[in-house]
Every structure is written in C-alpha cells, then in structure tokens.
Amino acid sequence: MLETLLPILIFAALALAVVGAWRRIRLWRQGRPAEVDLLRGLAAMPRRYLVDLHHVVGRDKVMSNTHVATAGGFVAAAVLMILVHGFGLANPVLGGLLLAASATMFVGSLFVAKRRRNPPARLSKGPWMRLPKSLMAFSVSVFLITLPTVGVLPQDAGSWFLALVLSAVLVWGLGEMFFGMTWGGPMKHAFAGALHLAFHRRPERFSTKLGGEGRSTGLKALNLDDPGAKLGVETPSDFTWNQLLGFDACVQCGRCEAVCPAFAAGQPLNPKKLIQDMVVGMAGGSDAAYAGSPHPSQGLGGKPVGEHFGSPHGPIVAPDSMKSGKALVDAETLWSCTTCRACVEECPMMIEHVDAVVDMRRFLTLEHGNTPNKGAEVLDNLIATDNPGGFDPGSRLHWAADLNLPLMADVKQADVLLWLGDGAFDMRNQRTLRALIKVLRAAEVEFAVLGVEERDSGDVARRLGDEATFQSLARRNIATLAKYRFQRIVTCDPHSFHVLGNEYGELGGPGAPDRYEVRHHSTYIAELFEAGRLHFAPWKGGKVTYHDPCYLGRYNGEYEAPRNVLKALGIEVKEMERSGYRSRCCGGGGGAPITDIPGERRIPDMRMNDVKQTGAELVAVGCPQCTAMLEGVVDASAEVRDIAELVADALVARPAVKVVDAAANKTTAEEVT
C-alpha cells in the first residue's frame, strides 16, 4: 500500500511546492528591477549558505549545530526520499543513507523542541511553536517507512491501518516542509533565504575566504538625474525585487531585536517587526498575525499589533500625517533607528534593515519634507552654511588660530590631509583635534588641512534621507579633494571616515586606492607607533574600558587598532560585555539625536551603565558623536576621553640611544627627537 501511496504523496507535495514557489516569486517581482547575475548567484549559493551564513549562525554554537543537524538532515532526507520512495530506487545503500539523514534530522528537531519549551522573548511564537512537531513528523515517518528498504523490517510489515497512519504523519511533515516552505509557513525562510543568498542586494558582502571577510556598508546612491525616478520608497513595491525577497527570508529569530538600541530604550522600533511589516505590505493585509514582540510603542501613543495595514502599492507611512492613518509603519519607527547596523551584523539571513530604513526616510524627507523635530533645521543649515550647526563657514579654523596649521591651498600637497569634520565647530571636539595635531607633529607627519574649503561630509544629511543635499556636499568635496595631492586622509570622525572611504566612490570620489586612502585616527596612530615614530610614558591612571563606535567597528571592521593603541600606552582594557561587533550603540548615529524620538530610557544611559559594570574609571572613545552622547549622561561613573587625548598626554621624546665613536674609543649619547 505504501509503495503506491508514497510516490503520489511525494510528487503531489512537490507540485504544490512549485505552485507556491511561483506565487511567491510573483510577490517578489512586484518590486522594482534589480540587476543580478542569476547563474553566478545560483552557483555561489551553496558556499554562501554553508560558509558565509554559518559564519554568523556559528556565533551561537548550540543553535549552529542544531541548524546543521536539522537543515542538513532535511535536505539530505528530502533528496534521498524522492530517489528511494519517489522514483523507486530502493537499495540498501540509499536506504541506509536515508535512515541516517532522517535520524540526524530527528536529533536536531529534539533540540528545536527544547528551545521552544521556554523560548526567549525575541523568538516569534504562534505557528512557529508547531515547528518541532512538524520536523519530528517528517523525520520519524521517513525513518519508519524506510526500514523495510534496508531489510530491517519485512516489506509487508504492519497493517493497512499502520500504513495509513504513517502516510498521515508523512503528509503532516510534507505539508510543513514542502508546502509551507513556499506558501508562507514557518519554513518559508528555507526557500526565500536560499534565493536571497543567491541574489543578495550586496553580493560583495560574501567572502572569498573561509570565515567571511566580506564587508559592504555604504548606502546606495539615488539617481537624481532621472526625472521619472521616485525619490525613495513610498510603497512596498518601490523596493527592488531582491529587497522584497530579503524581507521574505526573515526567520523571525529576533536576534536583530535583541541587539537593537532603540528597542532596548523603549522607542517605537523593533527591526524584526519592521521587516515583517514589509512582508505584510508585499502580500497585502494587516499585521494581526504577527506572533513576535511588537515594538514598545503602546505606552507612547503607538498603535498595537493588528492596527497596521498595507498593500503592495499602498503607502508604507500614512500620507496624511506622520502619526495617524491606516498604514504599515508609523513614521516614528523609522526615525528611531540610529543606523548602527547591529541588526544587520546579527542577522543570520543577512537582511539589510538599515538600507530599507533609509530608503523609506528618503521618501519622507525628499517628497514630503517630513523630517521630525530639528531635522528640517539641520538640513536647512547644511544647505545654507555647509555644516549642520549653521555656523559661519569662515570660522571653521578659529579654534586653531594659535596652531599655525598648514593649508592645502598653500602647500598644494602633503603626506596626510587632516579632515577636521564638523567637530571643528564643537568646543569639546576641538580638544580632540588639538590632541591629534600634537600627535602628528610629534611623529613628524607632513600634514595639511582644507580649512574653509572643507564642507560637511554629508553623513547626517544622507541618514536623514536628504540624498540631494548629501550628493551636493559630496560632489563639492570631491572637486576640492581633486585639486590637491596627498597619500591619505586621516580623521577623528568615524562617520566622515566611512562616508569618505565607502560612499564617495560611487560619486567619483575616494575609494580609488591609487589616489589615496582614508584612515581613522586610531588606525593611523597605531601605524605610527608600529613604525617607531611615537613613544609613550607608562600609563599611571586607573581602569579603562573602550567603547567601539558603530561606524568604525560594524561599518568598517576596525576593532583592533584602537585597542592596540591603548595597549601601547600600557592600558589593559576592561572589556564591556557588549563590545566588538556586538558593541552597544551610543545613540548618536543616523541623526537620532536630531530627530529625538522619545523612549522609556536613553541609549547613552544604557551604554554608560555597561561602562559602570566593568568598574572602569575612564572610557576611551574614538568618535566625537560618542564623546558627546556619553558625556551627556547625568551622574556618569567614568570620565570620557578620546584616544587622541590619551596618546597626546602620554607622549615623550624619543629615548636616547648610545652611539659608539670608534675613533675616540668612547661612548656618547645622542637624543633623537
């Protein structure tokens, strides 16, 4: 009986899966066109899945091993089941392999069941709670119906009733694994996720080396010269089709939710919920079926789950106002994001949350001018004065009147162009700049500054969605840089460092290694020390911890250089629990201090509490935004100092070296300064 039923069940499930796949693909194809290399993407998919994705999943060893057993067992069992029971290629070898694969899958499903007995809050519940049972149903039924194939049981073992029971259990498993994979069940991520890896919006994220070293973090430029192009994303269908595919790949694990600083602060943003809102909009309907943690907005006037509606061609944010109307997302959700990329860094499906947020912000800013709180004022200042504070551009170097800084306009070329950034208008950051200049001069670095020719890098304009102002600033800076000769740009500001090095290239600026490089000051100081051009007195202060700036660490992968500098100073860093790629954002990125969306607590207060838990008396930073945010914490337990300030305070002259005068047969001392 089973010999007759099994092929029918298997191929019926496959046929339904194909129909579901076609329907799902049609949903994705509602998005705008995107150029992808189909064949190369498909060819790269296995490696991206087995190496790059598991490089992220592997951070949780238990879940990584569970995923290997469950997913690997399922893929192998599904293929072998089709061969053995679908095409009738029954032999002891294939049957034995099928038994091993289904047994491995069953073991993995036991760990999934254990995980789901008392799941963490970040995991979605609802349909996901049935997943362990479905995995077990598939693996157990396949295992049992394969036993006669390998001779463990006779071919006619059991009764017709037992055959029907096994068939029913198999149908349950096939329904979840095959049918649900393409029709929208909990296993949907297996189908959409695989294709998302193949046709990723940022294929350059995937490494060519074992372990994953690909990095792509620069925002994509809008084509402002195309009068027919929409400025930003208004509706789900305005996303590119592979962005919609990426949203559909979400496994709802909540790892993004767990690391989001805005969510932890009680602001109206949950990155997992935001991605699921985009899936709802892609298919049409409401978010009533969402089974995860909502964003924490109910106490702040936000709408609860079930009151957000959308359609592929309907507005994402209510058009009549920023707070009311039927739409998928409240505007405050988008403006809560600090663009720290913690969600992107943690996502095991490699979804690009920040790109989506900025795309939607662009529409609100460029088409409607709906930038909240001080956002509009800052953008007006950037247009009028080339800096967000509205300061007189001619006063950019007033703080350095006594330093006699060389200007590129005078010297025309230098080894280093020191990019001051808009910290030049901030009294606190001027101390950091003075310290860095002292360090550069101690190392005898030939440097110069642009002075009044320097404009804002455009970072804050771009993150606030004003792509037009960003591109205007960027192109003028690019034209200025092209007039001079230098080997590298050095800056204290990770935001300027990132924009200059990773986002100007698309507009014809830096990013051309044959012209010059862009360096964060911590990286450059580390290089100067390694070259023997800096010498320090031993550290005699107290305990020190280090805060990783998001735009230096997660955006650019620089974690070691700042720590190497602190080590060179004789400082043993007391690491915070959340450090390195899991560092908690200070709350200063993405224009968040400007849009100032209220929450239950402040992000910098949470970060300073992380500092307090280390017992450190001083927190070293490498970003003017981080300095401002952390120094703004009331009753802070630690002093905040930039790395450049610590280095400048520790500088000593080069040590005296002994020189032997052979002719006079005596030893003298020369001091090298």
Side-chain angles (χ1 to χ4, degrees):
M1 183 175 179
L2 280 176
E3 293 178 357
T4 303
L5 280 177
L6 289 178
I8 296 174
L9 294 176
I10 291 170
F11 289 113
L14 286 173
L16 288 172
V18 170
V19 173
W22 176 247
R23 293 178 69 256
R24 213 73 204 170
I25 291 170
R26 289 183 63 189
L27 289 178
W28 305 332
R29 296 297 292 180
Q30 296 174 110
R32 292 187 295 107
E35 293 186 8
V36 297
D37 191 326
L38 294 175
L39 294 179
R40 182 174 296 180
L42 290 172
M45 183 173 64
R47 190 183 186 287
R48 291 175 179 179
Y49 181 86
L50 295 172
V51 177
D52 297 292
L53 183 143
H54 268 280
H55 174 65
V56 179
V57 176
R59 294 168 182 172
D60 184 334
K61 296 300 182 185
V62 173
M63 288 312 300
S64 175
N65 293 334
T66 298
H67 189 260
V68 168
T70 308
F74 164 68
V75 171
V79 172
L80 290 166
M81 178 187 66
I82 294 171
L83 294 175
V84 173
H85 299 296
F87 290 105
L89 302 178
N91 63 67
V93 175
L94 291 178
L97 291 174
L98 180 52
L99 287 177
S102 56
T104 301
M105 181 182 176
F106 178 75
V107 172
S109 68
L110 291 177
F111 283 93
V112 175
K114 181 180 179 181
R115 173 83 157 176
R116 286 283 165 179
R117 286 186 63 186
N118 186 24
R122 62 179 175 83
L123 287 179
S124 288
K125 316 266 187 319
W128 295 86
M129 298 304 289
R130 72 172 186 254
L131 188 57
K133 302 181 184 68
S134 302
L135 294 171
M136 291 180 185
F138 181 86
S139 56
V140 169
S141 60
V142 171
F143 185 89
L144 292 177
I145 64 177
T146 307
L147 289 176
T149 303
V150 296
V152 174
L153 293 176
Q155 291 291 336
D156 57 351
S159 63
W160 63 268
F161 178 76
L162 180 59
L164 287 177
V165 170
L166 279 176
S167 298
V169 175
L170 180 63
V171 167
W172 177 6
L174 286 173
E176 191 77 86
M177 299 298 105
F178 287 13
F179 183 77
M181 189 184 296
T182 58
W183 285 75
M187 286 296 294
K188 171 170 63 71
H189 69 280
F191 173 63
L195 293 181
H196 171 55
L197 294 178
F199 309 131
H200 199 279
R201 191 175 190 234
R202 296 176 179 271
E204 62 273 18
R205 276 190 67 181
F206 299 101
S207 70
T208 57
K209 298 180 180 179
L210 186 64
E213 294 184 8
R215 188 170 297 277
S216 172
T217 57
L219 292 173
K220 308 287 186 180
L222 289 180
N223 182 6
L224 300 176
D225 297 327
D226 182 359
K230 184 172 288 187
L231 300 178
V233 167
E234 178 187 14
T235 71
S237 61
D238 290 331
F239 286 110
T240 61
W241 70 265
N242 53 348
Q243 279 182 290
L244 295 179
L245 167 59
F247 302 152
D248 215 20
C250 176
V251 69
Q252 298 195 42
C253 64
R255 286 171 62 164
C256 57
E257 171 188 314
V259 297
C260 176
F263 181 83
Q267 293 176 271
L269 169 63
N270 178 345
K272 181 179 78 172
K273 174 65 165 59
L274 179 64
I275 296 301
Q276 291 307 306
D277 287 338
M278 298 304 103
V279 175
V280 167
M282 176 183 71
S286 81
D287 64 344
Y290 175 68
S293 302
H295 60 61
S297 65
Q298 281 81 349
L300 301 170
K303 292 178 289 188
V305 169
E307 296 187 18
H308 292 82
F309 301 84
S311 64
H313 304 289
I316 293 174
V317 177
D320 54 338
S321 77
M322 294 177 60
K323 294 185 178 181
S324 64
K326 288 187 176 182
L328 277 174
V329 174
D330 298 327
E332 289 86 350
T333 294
L334 303 180
W335 297 114
S336 295
C337 179
T338 67
T339 68
C340 69
R341 282 185 73 86
C343 52
V344 180
E345 183 73 34
E346 285 292 332
C347 179
M349 302 309 293
M350 297 190 168
I351 299 170
E352 295 285 343
H353 311 65
V354 174
D355 283 7
V357 167
V358 175
D359 281 342
M360 290 183 279
R361 285 183 177 184
R362 284 169 169 170
F363 179 80
L364 295 179
T365 295
L366 294 173
E367 295 283 3
H368 290 293
N370 283 341
T371 314
N373 296 324
K374 295 183 179 180
E377 177 185 343
V378 166
L379 294 176
D380 287 343
N381 288 339
L382 285 167
I383 294 170
T385 66
D386 297 332
N387 66 81
F391 299 104
D392 176 8
S395 65
R396 186 176 287 271
L397 284 183
H398 284 186
W399 60 276
D402 60 325
L403 295 179
N404 193 29
L405 297 180
L407 296 174
M408 288 298 287
D410 297 331
V411 301
K412 305 301 181 185
Q413 65 179 37
D415 179 35
V416 168
L417 169 61
L418 178 59
W419 186 273
L420 301 177
D422 285 305
F425 296 107
D426 176 68
M427 292 182 64
R428 173 61 184 88
N429 193 60
Q430 289 166 7
R431 288 160 43 193
T432 299
L433 291 172
R434 282 181 170 272
L436 179 57
I437 290 166
K438 179 181 177 181
V439 172
L440 295 178
R441 285 177 166 165
E444 299 180 351
V445 173
E446 180 193 19
F447 74 94
V449 298
L450 290 174
V452 295
E453 290 188 288
E454 181 184 317
R455 296 170 177 85
D456 182 86
S457 66
D459 165 76
V460 70
R462 186 164 234 196
R463 270 70 198 170
L464 288 175
D466 192 347
E467 181 73 6
T469 297
F470 163 75
Q471 290 195 20
S472 174
L473 290 166
R475 293 185 192 282
R476 284 183 288 164
N477 278 327
I478 289 168
T480 299
L481 295 172
K483 296 191 299 184
Y484 305 116
R485 295 172 59 86
F486 47 89
Q487 295 183 14
R488 60 185 61 86
I489 297 174
V490 174
T491 179
C492 294
D493 181 9
H495 296 261
S496 295
F497 162 59
H498 169 70
V499 170
L500 289 168
N502 297 324
E503 296 187 352
Y504 274 23
E506 196 173 1
L507 302 176
D514 55 325
R515 289 189 59 203
Y516 47 82
E517 301 171 336
V518 185
R519 287 278 194 275
H520 184 253
H521 72 308
S522 65
T523 305
Y524 192 56
I525 291 172
E527 292 173 355
L528 292 175
F529 175 77
E530 289 294 326
R533 297 171 67 177
L534 293 173
H535 300 272
F536 309 130
W539 173 255
K540 296 181 180 179
K543 296 180 180 179
V544 177
T545 190
Y546 171 67
H547 165 74
D548 289 277
C550 302
Y551 276 72
L552 182 62
R554 279 188 289 269
Y555 272 80
N556 288 282
E558 183 59 274
Y559 302 107
E560 296 304 318
R563 290 171 170 80
N564 289 340
V565 172
L566 296 174
K567 183 178 179 181
L569 294 173
I571 295 172
E572 181 181 352
V573 176
K574 303 293 182 182
E575 295 286 3
M576 287 179 268
E577 182 178 354
R578 288 187 58 172
S579 62
Y581 69 87
R582 282 184 169 151
S583 176
R584 192 196 302 271
C585 177
C586 73
I594 299 168
T595 57
D596 196 24
I597 303 301
E600 298 171 359
R601 59 193 68 85
R602 297 177 68 247
I603 296 173
D605 292 348
M606 295 189 296
R607 188 53 170 167
M608 192 55 81
N609 187 57
D610 295 340
V611 173
K612 184 177 181 180
Q613 291 177 3
T614 68
E617 301 163 25
L618 184 148
V619 53
V621 297
C623 172
Q625 293 279 10
C626 297
T627 301
M629 298 303 291
L630 295 179
E631 285 193 337
V633 174
V634 178
D635 298 328
S637 60
E639 181 185 6
V640 181
R641 300 287 303 279
D642 191 274
I643 285 177
E645 296 177 284
L646 298 175
V647 171
D649 289 347
L651 285 173
V652 296
R654 296 189 189 184
V657 296
K658 293 183 178 181
V659 179
V660 178
D661 187 338
N665 195 25
K666 63 182 180 180
T667 299
T668 61
E670 288 186 2
E671 183 179 0
V672 182
T673 59

